[in-house]
Amino acid sequence: MVRVYDVADYVLHKVGFVSTMKLQKLVYYSQALSLSREGEPLFDEDFQAWANGPVCPELFHFHRGMFVIGPGELGVGQSGALDGGHKAIVDKVIDSLGVLNGGQLSELTHSEEPWLSARGTYKRGERCNTVITKGEIARYYSQDGLSNPLFNGN
């Protein structure tokens, strides 16, 4: 299995310089697409329901303090670790959601059940480190008729 860093490295090589918020969300949606369409995680690491949407703490550790990041700047991860199927999943996410900026992607996650459920009674902007379970991600994004363009049957 690939690691979250490998997926992030692949994203950066495909899209170039992006905000770290956008990177986190594209990686999150790559995991969601794999769970919902393939029935298995793309990587083992979990996301937490942070104030600005899902964040993988292991990935955050490598870009902490950075607002924008580009290819090779993560310092870890190997995009070559992804096979053709993995790349197809990430490419679909980039093709569907890559036009959105980090803020737009964050707002999208704020409207979706996995983040909302994990946040529970936490108020908007309040710190939260509750894990968004892979089971919840798989369940939600496997449903039909979702408004997210990545999962609405395209």
Side-chain angles (χ1 to χ4, degrees):
M1 183 176 295
V2 300
R3 302 291 308 263
V4 67
Y5 326 113
D6 301 324
V7 175
D9 187 59
Y10 182 75
V11 168
L12 291 172
H13 280 91
K14 291 291 286 192
V15 302
F17 286 85
V18 294
S19 71
T20 53
M21 182 183 290
K22 181 172 180 168
L23 175 64
Q24 284 278 351
K25 303 316 172 262
L26 291 176
V27 172
Y28 169 77
Y29 281 121
S30 296
Q31 179 77 306
L33 187 60
S34 182
L35 287 165
S36 65
R37 298 281 167 87
E38 303 301 320
E40 59 186 37
L42 189 55
F43 49 84
D44 282 334
E45 293 85 2
D46 287 316
F47 285 85
Q48 296 178 354
W50 287 21
N52 289 324
V55 171
C56 177
E58 291 87 353
L59 178 57
F60 178 80
H61 171 77
F62 289 98
H63 66 65
R64 171 181 257 131
M66 302 172 80
F67 179 74
V68 174
I69 190 166
E73 292 184 350
L74 194 57
V76 65
Q78 297 181 349
S79 59
L82 280 71
D83 67 22
H86 299 140
K87 290 176 181 177
I89 289 168
V90 180
D91 289 344
K92 169 88 169 125
V93 170
I94 292 169
D95 291 347
S96 297
L97 301 175
V99 298
L100 302 177
N101 66 38
Q104 292 168 318
L105 289 167
S106 177
E107 285 302 313
L108 184 59
T109 65
H110 286 196
S111 70
E112 298 172 336
E113 190 58 33
W115 182 83
L116 289 167
S117 178
R119 292 287 297 178
T121 60
Y122 285 92
K123 295 185 180 15
R124 190 167 185 91
E126 192 175 1
R127 286 180 183 239
C128 171
N129 63 356
T130 304
V131 169
I132 304 170
T133 69
K134 290 178 184 71
E136 178 67 13
I137 293 170
R139 184 199 61 75
Y140 178 78
Y141 293 108
S142 295
Q143 295 176 359
D144 294 330
L146 301 176
S147 61
N148 185 315
L150 182 59
F151 301 97
N152 66 7
N154 291 337

